[in-house]
Amino acid sequence: MKKRIAILGATGSIGDSALSVIAKHPDRYQVVGLSGFSRLEKLLKLCQTFLPKYVCIPSDKVDRFQDLLHQANLTCEILSGSQGLDALASLDDVDMVVASIVGSAGLSSTLSAVKAGKTVLLANKEALVMAGELMIQEAVRSGAVLLPLDSEHNAIFQCLPTDVQQNRQAIHDPKKGIKQLWLTASGGAFLDKSYQDMQNASIAQAVKHPNWPMGQKISVDSSTMMNKGLELIEAGYLFGMSVDNIKVVIHPQSIIHSMVEYVDGSWLAQLGIPNMQTPIAHALAYPERIESGVAKLDLFSLSNLTFLPPDLQKFHCLTLAYQAMQAGSYACIALNASNEVSVAAFLANKIRLTDIADINEAVLNKINQQTIGSLDDILAMDQLARQLANGFVANFVKKN
Ligand code: NAD
Ligand code: MG
């Protein structure tokens, strides 16, 4: 039986990588649904290639897309808006959902897939940062399997014992001997640059990642190292580890994708050339292995693998993530929301790259501790932090 797949965010960078792995294995996978947001021509091409039964687009684009489908002689069922995404993620004829929408826009559909008990291949880290506890609870209730696509989390998953992969509580069993998780970070575009260089960075400089071609938002997050901060929180929820047991190490070559340290002095690492098709192929086939189409790692061409501690002053966003994780889920939600607002302001040329950390810190300083229980609590905190961040953005625009 072929695995039936829906890809949420099919027109993005993760969507591209997922579809290229899937296209190599037509005997194993069938694309049942695709979603897109602004690139309708690209979505149409994907429909022509993969012939999905369902396609989901924003509500105001339905008429136009209907025309495009008609002209191309295609008969996909069109779903629309946030409700359409939720429906696509939970359809009976879908086994696996690739959650690859960027930012909080992906929360509802990712949660919908988890509630429906799907196998969820999770790239949309912001959804987990916002609703990690709820997502894990719902997965336990529905039997959904959450498989990380983020290369670091996928690497850690691969370095854990099989029974821990299948039951995350077992990570704390002393017999497993798991001491710490090590997240590797490339250090991003400004690793060897000064704070002043970051302050004066253009948008083009900030979105140019040295090792990974990715969407704009995650590329800016990599420049500020907020990406590693979000991944720290993501790892905490995915693996049930506290902030004290997750370390970040800069490894500029991005060959080791992350590591697990054991009490006997062993370290297990997952290596490979930096290409998202590897973690995607791993998660698609898990627990089997399939070809990903990624070039072979040539050990003899590697001259150096280096490691250094992160500069927590230059990359203040990473410090803020440590602090938010210590404070609790309310602060993680606020940090994520504020970061989405400030990154969008940077990409709109309103603020400087270094203002992102300052705005995020100002928002965290403004919010009070709260217990987060329900989705409503999450959304209320998200809204509050967005309002505050928008206010600070306006001040920064005036200052610059
Ligand atoms: P991208 O910008 O290339 O693609 C984003 C996708 O989300 C697109 O398909 C777009 O249509 C869709 N989208 C955007 N806004 C939307 C909205 N409001 N409603 C519905 N759909 C919307 O981003 P990406 O680089 O593919 O990243 C996607 C997610 O995967 C992010 O959470 C990112 O952090 C994570 N991730 C990406 C990579 C990578 O290599 N690109 C690696 C690890 C994790
Ligand atoms: Mg990553």
Side-chain angles (χ1 to χ4, degrees):
M1 276 277 279
K2 287 189 195 181
K3 285 266 165 17
R4 299 163 303 173
I5 304 184
I7 304 184
L8 313 179
T11 52
S13 160
I14 291 286
D16 286 344
S17 299
L19 286 165
S20 30
V21 180
I22 288 168
K24 288 182 176 50
H25 302 279
D27 51 321
R28 296 183 70 117
Y29 306 109
Q30 182 191 352
V31 175
V32 172
L34 296 173
S35 91
F37 189 64
S38 53
R39 281 168 279 184
L40 294 195
E41 273 73 21
K42 179 166 182 182
L43 187 62
L44 181 71
K45 285 217 173 81
L46 296 179
C47 290
Q48 286 169 315
T49 309
F50 293 97
L51 303 174
K53 201 165 153 193
Y54 306 93
V55 65
C56 186
I57 49 170
S59 312
D60 60 344
K61 302 202 165 86
V62 170
D63 290 346
R64 209 177 126 225
F65 202 67
Q66 187 80 67
D67 287 346
L68 290 174
L69 283 177
H70 188 69
Q71 284 158 23
N73 273 326
L74 291 173
T75 51
C76 313
E77 184 173 327
I78 300 187
L79 305 169
S80 67
S82 179
Q83 285 175 345
L85 285 171
D86 292 354
L88 182 56
S90 55
L91 284 169
D92 282 344
D93 39 6
V94 165
D95 307 305
M96 277 185 163
V97 174
V98 178
S100 53
I101 291 176
V102 59
S104 57
L107 172 62
S108 180
S109 51
T110 305
L111 200 53
S112 168
V114 169
K115 283 184 179 167
K118 306 298 183 197
T119 296
V120 181
L121 277 56
L122 185 78
N124 179 209
K125 62 192 87 184
E126 296 90 349
L128 203 71
V129 168
M130 291 175 79
E133 275 168 43
L134 191 63
M135 204 89 82
I136 301 292
Q137 277 167 19
E138 291 291 350
V140 170
R141 192 170 304 154
S142 69
V145 177
L146 268 180
L147 296 172
L149 290 190
D150 215 347
S151 57
E152 296 77 2
H153 306 73
N154 183 272
I156 288 172
F157 184 88
Q158 294 197 45
C159 297
L160 290 171
T162 312
D163 49 352
V164 177
Q165 291 176 348
Q166 280 153 13
N167 168 22
R168 52 191 281 287
Q169 298 302 330
I171 206 164
H172 299 296
D173 178 351
K175 289 193 209 116
K176 302 293 167 206
I178 294 162
K179 194 171 171 185
Q180 299 195 107
L181 308 181
W182 286 83
L183 288 173
T184 53
S186 69
F190 296 92
L191 178 62
D192 299 320
K193 302 274 185 347
S194 68
Y195 181 82
Q196 281 68 33
D197 290 333
M198 272 180 82
Q199 217 162 23
N200 298 325
S202 67
I203 295 173
Q205 286 170 322
V207 298
K208 193 173 177 332
H209 193 278
N211 303 340
W212 304 88
M214 305 183 287
Q216 285 212 314
K217 194 249 174 192
I218 184 175
S219 298
V220 175
D221 284 346
S222 296
S223 282
T224 61
M225 285 198 76
M226 185 70 231
N227 183 48
K228 211 50 54 181
L230 295 173
E231 291 185 356
L232 189 73
I233 301 168
E234 183 186 9
Y237 285 128
L238 270 178
F239 303 113
M241 282 294 219
S242 79
V243 64
D244 303 328
N245 293 320
I246 311 174
K247 303 284 179 252
V248 171
V249 56
I250 305 274
H251 165 48
Q253 298 80 16
S254 298
I255 295 294
I256 294 182
H257 298 306
S258 278
M259 298 170 273
V260 178
E261 181 186 354
Y262 288 84
V263 288
D264 61 2
S266 299
W267 290 54
L268 297 191
Q270 186 256 356
L271 286 72
I273 64 163
N275 186 320
M276 288 307 292
Q277 287 176 217
T278 296
I280 290 169
H282 168 267
L284 278 171
Y286 178 81
E288 297 174 19
R289 297 265 179 183
I290 55 171
E291 291 279 345
S292 65
V294 170
K296 185 176 150 60
L297 172 67
D298 176 11
L299 283 181
F300 301 109
S301 72
L302 301 174
S303 54
N304 243 339
L305 294 184
T306 52
F307 304 94
L308 55 150
D311 178 342
L312 291 174
Q313 281 185 330
K314 188 164 88 180
F315 298 113
H316 192 55
C317 280
L318 181 55
T319 308
L320 295 176
Y322 273 110
Q323 290 168 354
M325 207 172 156
Q326 254 146 2
S329 57
Y330 80 96
C332 297
I333 299 164
L335 178 58
N336 177 66
S338 168
N339 187 61
E340 283 193 28
V341 170
S342 50
V343 169
F346 171 72
L347 287 171
N349 219 359
K350 291 185 184 160
I351 60 169
R352 297 174 301 187
L353 185 65
T354 46
D355 295 338
I356 293 173
D358 293 347
I359 291 168
N360 293 350
E361 180 167 38
V363 170
L364 283 182
N365 286 340
K366 272 271 180 195
I367 51 156
N368 297 319
Q369 185 172 359
Q370 284 185 32
T371 308
I372 301 289
S374 64
L375 184 59
D376 285 345
D377 294 343
I378 294 169
L379 297 177
M381 177 50 77
D382 177 81
Q383 276 312 311
L384 173 66
R386 272 169 209 276
Q387 272 165 21
L388 290 167
N390 275 313
F392 287 121
V393 166
N395 291 343
F396 275 79
V397 174
K398 278 183 223 140
K399 224 167 61 183
N400 293 334

